[in-house]
Amino acid sequence: MTDDHLIRVLERLDAWLEANAPADFAALNPPAAEGDISKIGEYLIDLHRDVVTWLSWHDGAGATTGSSRAGFLLPGGYAPLAAKDMDAGQRDMERKVAWSLDEEDEDEIHWFTVAPGHELDVVGDGMTVYSTEDLGLVPAPTTCHIRWVPFASSTESGHDLIVDHRRGPTHGAVRRIEPEAVDPSAVVWPDVTSMFTSLVDALETARPITVGTVAYIPRVLDGALDWEIVR
């Protein structure tokens, strides 16, 4: 199922890029194959209709024009992923979660870090069981979930945007994954439609767009978008 409102927003995006950022427009891929879309989170995730609509419009963006910036449409230098890359990224999260399951939460990844004031130097006797508290370990922030679908990636920062497919108030939200941030999986848009709407509004008006706590203003260099941080 697709969303007519999002389609109208994407029509505006295509028109603006074709007229003002031709390298980015050329980098947009044609629609994804239905089979590639249906494989994302197969048997686990009912793919959010915003993601289906976007992939049915463009199968992500690729640097097809020779411009080093082409395809990195979203503020922060994020390039939308193709359906096959979304599927591969989601399955990679599944594997990481499987490697780190604990008894309390079987959906999230829990790496452990040494708590302040502790040193990790334990010699086991083969019989004693040490708790995480004994070792001075604390759970690191969650940066993977089996119901998170990678949506866009930044080669500049190495960070990702994901679409949250967990049930609840943030279903469909776009999160920015930054392991070193205070909030490593902060919601930056309530959904994909809001993300593209705010993007197109910023492009058409040349006004800043705020992502989290950072404001960007659009400019075009060599036919491709280059987002300048203004605050």
Side-chain angles (χ1 to χ4, degrees), residues 127-140:
M127 297 177 63
T128 303
V129 176
Y130 295 93
S131 70
T132 57
E133 289 79 9
D134 293 333
L135 300 178
L137 300 180
V138 294

Side-chain angles (χ1 to χ4, degrees), residues 2 14 17 22 30 45 48 50 61-64 93 103-104 118 122 125 129 134 144 159 179 184 188 204 215 218-219:
T2 58
D14 282 3
L17 292 176
I45 292 172
H48 195 279
D50 280 5
T64 59
M93 285 197 182
E103 294 180 357
E104 294 182 2
H118 291 79
V122 176
D125 58 10
V129 176
D134 293 333
C144 283
H159 300 148
V188 287
E204 292 177 343
R219 59 181 181 175

Side-chain angles (χ1 to χ4, degrees), residues 110-124:
H110 290 284
W111 301 121
F112 287 93
T113 55
V114 180
H118 291 79
E119 293 183 2
L120 187 58
D121 185 14
V122 176
V123 179

Side-chain angles (χ1 to χ4, degrees), residues 76-96:
Y78 291 90
L81 298 172
K84 289 183 178 179
D85 294 323
M86 289 187 189
D87 179 49
Q90 189 274 326
R91 292 180 188 274
D92 184 54
M93 285 197 182
E94 283 187 47
R95 286 191 292 270
K96 288 179 179 177

